[in-house]
């Protein structure tokens, strides 16, 4: 082979090698596929819903909005410490989820908008489950079976049912289902006064500014226990309302986890111990089966 032919052959080989290398450098690697169940929302489930429980665990805390003047569910003791049935139950559930519980007091009248604007993860404050509220948020399984009732002072013998409240001044909490029940069932009262907290309504009843208070039966029994002889329950139930934990509609994985732990606490007796501490009885016996 002549020198010219050798040179031409070498140049051709160099050209072919460069072309091959260029093609390899321009090829795009195949994207890595996520493992099954990782990084993909299950069919029909929004990414936000998938992330709810993971978000709470990543933050290391479950933030709950509550009314901190609502005994025995959540209130301040003489040392200004937050105590109550919901507090003990919530702290236990958070521990089982592997996170800490953070309680965030809020105005009850705006508690649902605050949840929806993500100021906290859940509403945990003896919240009655109603059809109207279910249009805006989801609820856990009921963890207390409740009712809206009427209480008056123990020495008031003239009020024995809703009909006896005609022309009377009645109090309840603003934004509560007690307010809804009073507006729906008590048409002839002289005035329905609303308060930011039930403690204020009870105080006004005690000093004679109110004739009666519409309140849930659990809270009413707490006041009867802590202030013996001061009040009595009128034998007239205005409405039956189970109590649940409020959760945003999209946070389905968090809802599932909370329901699982509530059921576990009822099954293993933890709920009963906490309930007996605050109510003197196991409230789970009254829950729908």
């Amino acid at each position: 082979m002549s020198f010219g032919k050798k040179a031409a052959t070498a140049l051709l080989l160099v050209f072919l090698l460069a072309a091959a290398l260029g093609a390899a450098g321009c090829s795009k690697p195949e994207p890595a596929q996520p493992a099954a169940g990782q990084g993909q929302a299950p069919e029909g489930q929004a990414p936000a819903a998938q992330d709810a429980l993971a978000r709470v665990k990543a933050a290391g805390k479950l933030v709950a909005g509550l009314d901190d003047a609502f005994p025995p569910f959540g209130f301040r003791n003489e040392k200004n410490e937050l105590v109550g049935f919901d507090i003990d139950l919530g702290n236990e559930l958070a521990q089982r989820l592997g996170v800490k519980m953070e309680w965030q007091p809020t105005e009850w009248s705006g508690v649902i908008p605050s949840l929806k604007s993500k100021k906290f993860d859940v509403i945990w404050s003896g919240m009655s489950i109603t059809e109207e509220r279910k249009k805006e948020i989801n609820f856990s399984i009921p963890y207390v079976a409740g009712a809206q009732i009427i209480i008056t002072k123990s020495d008031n013998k003239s009020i024995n049912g809703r009909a006896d409240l005609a022309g009377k001044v009645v109090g309840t909490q603003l934004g509560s289902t007690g307010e809804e029940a009073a507006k729906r069932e008590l048409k002839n009262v002289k005035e329905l006064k609303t308060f930011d907290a039930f403690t204020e309504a009870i105080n006004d009843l005690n000093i004679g500014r109110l004739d009666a208070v519409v309140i849930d039966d659990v809270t009413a029994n707490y006041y009867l226990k802590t202030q013996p002889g001061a009040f009595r329950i009128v034998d007239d139930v205005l409405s039956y309302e189970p109590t649940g934990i409020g959760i945003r509609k999209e946070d389905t994985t968090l809802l599932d986890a909370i329901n699982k732990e509530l059921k576990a606490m009822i099954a293993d007796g933890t709920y009963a111990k906490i309930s007996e501490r605050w109510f003197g009885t196991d409230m789970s016996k009254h829950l729908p089966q």
Side-chain angles (χ1 to χ4, degrees):
M1 183 182 291
S2 68
F3 175 78
K5 288 184 178 180
K6 288 182 180 180
T9 302
L11 286 172
L12 179 60
L13 289 173
V14 170
F15 174 78
L16 292 173
L17 180 59
L21 290 173
C26 292
S27 63
K28 295 181 179 179
E30 289 293 323
Q33 296 297 319
Q38 179 182 349
Q40 291 182 326
E43 185 177 351
Q45 181 172 302
Q50 182 199 26
D51 293 341
L53 179 60
R55 183 186 67 242
V56 166
K57 291 194 172 185
K61 61 183 179 181
L62 178 65
V63 184
L66 83 159
D67 173 1
D68 65 347
F70 188 36
F73 291 98
F75 63 104
R76 303 284 176 177
N77 64 13
E78 62 279 359
K79 297 179 181 178
N80 201 39
E81 298 167 331
L82 194 56
V83 297
F85 173 67
D86 278 345
I87 309 306
D88 289 349
L89 200 66
N91 289 342
E92 173 66 24
L93 186 141
Q95 184 178 359
R96 292 180 180 220
L97 291 179
V99 298
K100 292 183 179 180
M101 196 71 176
E102 182 178 303
W103 298 99
Q104 187 170 315
T106 189
E107 289 291 333
W108 191 249
S109 57
V111 71
I112 289 180
S114 292
L115 173 68
K116 293 174 75 174
S117 65
K118 301 186 178 181
K119 292 184 178 178
F120 32 79
D121 300 306
V122 299
I123 300 169
W124 199 327
S125 191
M127 191 177 205
S128 298
I129 302 171
T130 68
E131 292 305 315
E132 195 65 26
R133 286 172 174 170
K134 284 164 68 175
K135 293 176 184 177
E136 296 194 71
I137 61 175
N138 282 339
F139 281 94
S140 69
I141 58 171
Y143 69 96
V144 172
Q148 291 298 324
I149 60 170
I150 303 162
I151 64 171
T152 188
K153 293 191 72 172
S154 57
D155 58 0
N156 186 333
K157 307 302 181 184
S158 65
I159 297 176
N160 298 294
R162 70 187 76 186
D164 299 323
L165 294 176
K168 306 294 186 182
V169 180
V170 179
T172 192
Q173 186 179 35
L174 178 66
S176 69
T177 49
E179 181 185 13
E180 294 175 13
K183 287 179 175 178
R184 184 178 63 247
E185 303 294 336
L186 308 178
K187 301 297 185 181
N188 299 317
V189 298
K190 178 181 179 181
E191 182 183 1
L192 178 63
K193 295 183 68 174
T194 56
F195 299 81
D196 289 334
F198 272 119
T199 48
E200 298 170 11
I202 294 297
N203 181 64
D204 272 21
L205 175 62
N206 202 25
I207 63 179
R209 291 177 180 168
L210 299 175
D211 296 299
V213 169
V214 175
I215 192 170
D216 70 276
D217 60 337
V218 175
T219 305
N221 278 297
Y222 172 81
Y223 282 113
L224 265 65
K225 176 183 176 182
T226 56
Q227 300 182 43
F231 311 107
R232 67 180 180 86
I233 295 174
V234 176
D235 189 18
D236 189 354
V237 175
L238 299 182
S239 64
Y240 289 97
E241 297 167 354
T243 294
I245 301 158
I247 304 171
R248 284 185 292 274
K249 288 279 190 181
E250 65 268 25
D251 288 352
T252 55
T253 53
L254 181 59
L255 174 63
D256 291 343
I258 286 174
N259 282 338
K260 177 182 176 182
E261 297 305 337
L262 281 175
K263 291 175 183 177
M265 285 192 283
I266 291 171
D268 66 22
T270 302
Y271 177 103
K273 290 179 182 178
I274 295 172
S275 178
E276 287 166 2
R277 185 182 309 154
W278 291 103
F279 305 121
T281 186
D282 180 5
M283 298 292 286
S284 69
K285 294 177 181 178
H286 307 292
L287 291 172
Q289 302 299 316

